[in-house]
Amino acid sequence: MNKTQAICADIAQKLTEQIENGSVKSGDKLPSERELCAQFGVNHHVIRFALARLVHLGLVVSHQGKGVFVSERVHEISYPLTNRTRFTENLQKQDVHADGKLLGWQIRQPSQKECLTLQLNPKDQIYDLHIIRYASGQPVSLTQTILAEHHVPGLNTFLTDFHSLYQLLEDHYNIKPLRISSVLQAVISCRQDTEWLGIPENVPILAIESIANDPTAGKPFEISCSRLRGDMCRCLINF
Amino acid sequence: MNKTQAICADIAQKLTEQIENGSVKSGDKLPSERELCAQFGVNHHVIRFALARLVHLGLVVSHQGKGVFVSERVHEISYPLTNRTRFTENLQKQDVHADGKLLGWQIRQPSQKECLTLQLNPKDQIYDLHIIRYASGQPVSLTQTILAEHHVPGLNTFLTDFHSLYQLLEDHYNIKPLRISSVLQAVISCRQDTEWLGIPENVPILAIESIANDPTAGKPFEISCSRLRGDMCRCLINF
DNA sequence: TAGTGGTCTAGACCACCCC
DNA sequence: GGGTGGTCTAGACCACTAT
């Protein structure tokens, strides 16, 4: 049927096969775009388009001025999702070094939706934290965390040497949040993701919105919105 | 810093804003590529690149020969994931009409991994079904289902008028599978997805691999690998 | 300086849709 | 036939990295 626009997809296919059957290995540099042009007898743009597809699939990464390289098999993280899931603990059990860094924070008025979810008065205030998390030194997720200010008074004083949110909450407030629900969705990377996670655009991201309780108070305590690298994170659920 | 390649991203940004602030509405046709070229004073390719970004974000869909249209807000499906999750039931509770179609099936030898998971002998045989599922008539997911042949003898005779797998299993074998684990991952759409689900390439997909038990036998019964449209499916988990 | 990836232009031609 | 999106070519120029 429609077999005119085969060239570009064909090249992507051939390159994919070369990677998957191991004739170019993990970490290897692909021939330069100019070389591939000559090799396949096509234009610059066709090659670039084919390579873009491989980038989206996570098979290669490209570095301006250096070349295009077959992705190192990133250590895939298994992320068991339970009501007690804690990023740091989770990874340590898999013998992976975990760390978190606070990118920024503010105290602000809650939105209408945040009021509803956290059962706040409109004049209550909230902490809004942005956290990046690392596994073995590699950035894997961006998280926005919302906490009611009156639940964690003076939180700001503990933020200077931030590593693990839940550790902090336990140490200073004796609170161990319990996750009560999560919503998972597959989305595409945006500017923010590319900047912080060091990944290209148009790459899959697992978005997780969770609500956690403070079990002693039995009330909603935390809203968190995480964006996890799709190529690194597998989310496990047991019933 | 790097502010040369702003044009393309800028245009994508501007078009995105026009859609999000409602100055072009859901279902509306965007100006043709030629018109946009003139409007922004740039080349064909720049416009196409910008539009591609919108496509990946799920904001627009393009139809050859007709034009580029702002995506109709697809009815987002909430997909509660529990050990009793059944696609058909699930959607009916949300007053959404659900249906399934069998794309194909075969009986074959299990792979090593399938043997292990389903606790089979290498000489056992398995049913391998490919199912597409619809919500309100729109395709939302592709699923591969693996069942041991000796658990569902003569299954083939029931496949001619297929609508709901779990209904079939209950009606003819009195089996109500219980999900015991799921693995969720964000990936990117492949050829197969684009063909069956009617979505473009490089669009997010939620991949779910599940294992279910036959509760009366207490043994692994089914492996299913689903690929859900990222723009339509939100997966809910309660703890 | 020379090589790499990245962005943009100008223009040809194809496939599809609708009148 | 005249519109639309889709693919490909040829070539210029920029930004980054090595050496």
Side-chain angles (χ1 to χ4, degrees):
Chain A
M1 312 308 165
N2 61 333
K3 280 299 115 192
T4 48
Q5 87 291 24
I7 306 178
C8 184
D10 266 7
I11 294 177
Q13 182 64 32
K14 279 175 187 158
L15 292 174
T16 301
E17 281 165 12
Q18 284 182 23
I19 292 171
E20 289 184 342
N21 73 22
S23 60
V24 284
K25 294 187 193 63
S26 183
D28 281 3
K29 183 180 165 304
L30 259 54
S32 76
E33 292 184 357
R34 270 86 168 172
E35 283 178 279
L36 289 171
C37 288
Q39 185 177 324
F40 288 101
V42 295
N43 188 276
H44 192 188
H45 292 96
V46 178
I47 293 296
R48 286 189 59 71
F49 226 82
L51 288 176
R53 174 69 184 156
L54 301 205
V55 170
H56 296 151
L57 287 170
L59 291 173
V60 301
V61 290
S62 81
H63 299 292
Q64 188 169 3
K66 296 208 271 190
V68 177
F69 300 84
V70 179
S71 301
E72 307 276 351
R73 262 280 143 262
V74 284
H75 194 78
E76 263 196 11
I77 297 167
S78 288
Y79 198 86
L81 204 61
T82 71
N83 59 357
R84 292 283 301 135
T85 291
R86 292 172 51 169
F87 179 81
T88 313
E89 238 176 47
N90 226 337
L91 263 60
Q92 281 168 351
K93 277 188 195 152
Q94 298 175 53
D95 285 320
V96 176
H97 179 255
D99 198 9
K101 203 169 76 181
L102 189 65
L103 293 179
W105 64 275
Q106 56 175 326
I107 296 184
R108 62 167 171 84
Q109 304 289 345
S111 72
Q112 206 174 345
K113 193 183 159 197
E114 289 160 348
C115 269
L116 221 63
T117 313
L118 292 181
Q119 302 177 5
L120 302 178
N121 293 320
K123 59 177 187 177
D124 285 336
Q125 296 220 293
I126 54 167
Y127 276 99
D128 180 349
L129 314 180
H130 283 79
I131 300 167
I132 183 169
R133 296 207 160 91
Y134 302 87
S136 311
Q138 267 199 300
V140 293
S141 73
L142 287 174
T143 303
Q144 179 192 29
T145 285
I146 308 288
L147 303 166
E149 194 277 336
H150 64 257
H151 284 154
V152 284
L155 179 65
N156 53 316
T157 59
F158 305 123
L159 295 179
T160 44
D161 187 36
F162 180 96
H163 284 285
S164 162
L165 177 63
Y166 277 33
Q167 195 63 51
L168 188 163
L169 292 173
E170 191 171 341
D171 290 351
H172 295 97
Y173 300 93
N174 197 29
I175 292 175
K176 296 183 182 187
L178 265 191
R179 189 188 300 247
I180 55 177
S181 73
S182 290
V183 177
L184 286 83
Q185 198 167 10
V187 297
I188 217 84
S189 59
C190 63
R191 241 318 254 304
Q192 192 192 20
D193 302 321
T194 69
E195 281 176 13
W196 292 110
L197 300 180
I199 52 174
E201 274 195 347
N202 297 328
V203 141
I205 293 281
L206 188 61
I208 308 182
E209 280 187 44
S210 299
I211 300 170
N213 262 2
D214 172 0
T216 60
K219 281 182 146 187
F221 174 77
E222 179 201 16
I223 305 173
S224 74
C225 301
S226 293
R227 298 174 69 86
L228 319 188
R229 277 184 63 162
D231 60 343
M232 286 186 70
C233 300
R234 295 160 60 84
C235 189
L236 269 60
I237 300 162
N238 289 297
F239 298 96
Chain B
M1 314 305 165
N2 61 332
K3 281 298 114 189
T4 48
Q5 88 290 23
I7 306 178
C8 184
D10 267 7
I11 294 176
Q13 182 64 32
K14 280 174 186 157
L15 292 174
T16 301
E17 281 165 12
Q18 284 182 25
I19 292 171
E20 289 184 343
N21 73 21
S23 60
V24 284
K25 293 186 192 64
S26 183
D28 282 3
K29 183 179 164 307
L30 259 55
S32 75
E33 293 184 356
R34 269 87 166 172
E35 284 178 278
L36 289 171
C37 289
Q39 186 177 321
F40 288 101
V42 295
N43 188 276
H44 192 189
H45 293 96
V46 177
I47 292 296
R48 285 190 59 71
F49 226 83
L51 288 176
R53 175 68 184 156
L54 301 205
V55 170
H56 295 150
L57 287 170
L59 291 172
V60 302
V61 290
S62 81
H63 298 292
Q64 187 168 4
K66 296 207 272 190
V68 177
F69 300 84
V70 179
S71 301
E72 308 276 353
R73 261 282 141 264
V74 284
H75 194 76
E76 263 197 9
I77 298 167
S78 289
Y79 197 86
L81 204 61
T82 70
N83 59 357
R84 291 284 302 137
T85 292
R86 293 171 52 168
F87 179 81
T88 312
E89 237 176 47
N90 226 337
L91 262 61
Q92 281 168 351
K93 277 188 195 152
Q94 299 175 52
D95 285 320
V96 176
H97 178 254
D99 198 10
K101 202 169 79 181
L102 189 65
L103 293 178
W105 64 275
Q106 56 175 325
I107 297 183
R108 63 167 170 83
Q109 303 290 344
S111 71
Q112 207 175 344
K113 192 183 160 196
E114 289 159 348
C115 269
L116 220 62
T117 313
L118 293 180
Q119 301 177 7
L120 303 177
N121 293 321
K123 60 178 187 177
D124 286 336
Q125 295 220 293
I126 54 168
Y127 275 99
D128 180 350
L129 313 181
H130 283 80
I131 300 167
I132 183 168
R133 297 206 159 91
Y134 301 86
S136 312
Q138 266 199 303
V140 293
S141 73
L142 287 174
T143 302
Q144 179 192 31
T145 285
I146 308 288
L147 302 166
E149 194 277 335
H150 63 258
H151 286 154
V152 284
L155 179 66
N156 53 314
T157 59
F158 305 122
L159 295 179
T160 45
D161 187 36
F162 180 96
H163 284 284
S164 163
L165 176 64
Y166 277 32
Q167 196 63 53
L168 189 163
L169 292 173
E170 191 172 342
D171 291 349
H172 297 96
Y173 300 93
N174 196 29
I175 293 175
K176 296 184 181 186
L178 265 190
R179 191 188 297 247
I180 54 176
S181 73
S182 290
V183 177
L184 287 83
Q185 198 166 11
V187 297
I188 218 83
S189 58
C190 63
R191 240 322 253 302
Q192 192 192 19
D193 303 320
T194 70
E195 281 176 14
W196 292 110
L197 301 181
I199 52 174
E201 274 195 345
N202 297 329
V203 140
I205 294 281
L206 188 61
I208 308 182
E209 280 187 44
S210 300
I211 300 169
N213 262 2
D214 173 358
T216 59
K219 279 182 148 188
F221 174 75
E222 178 202 17
I223 304 173
S224 75
C225 301
S226 293
R227 298 173 70 85
L228 319 188
R229 276 184 62 161
D231 60 344
M232 288 187 67
C233 300
R234 294 160 59 85
C235 189
L236 269 59
I237 300 162
N238 289 297
F239 298 97

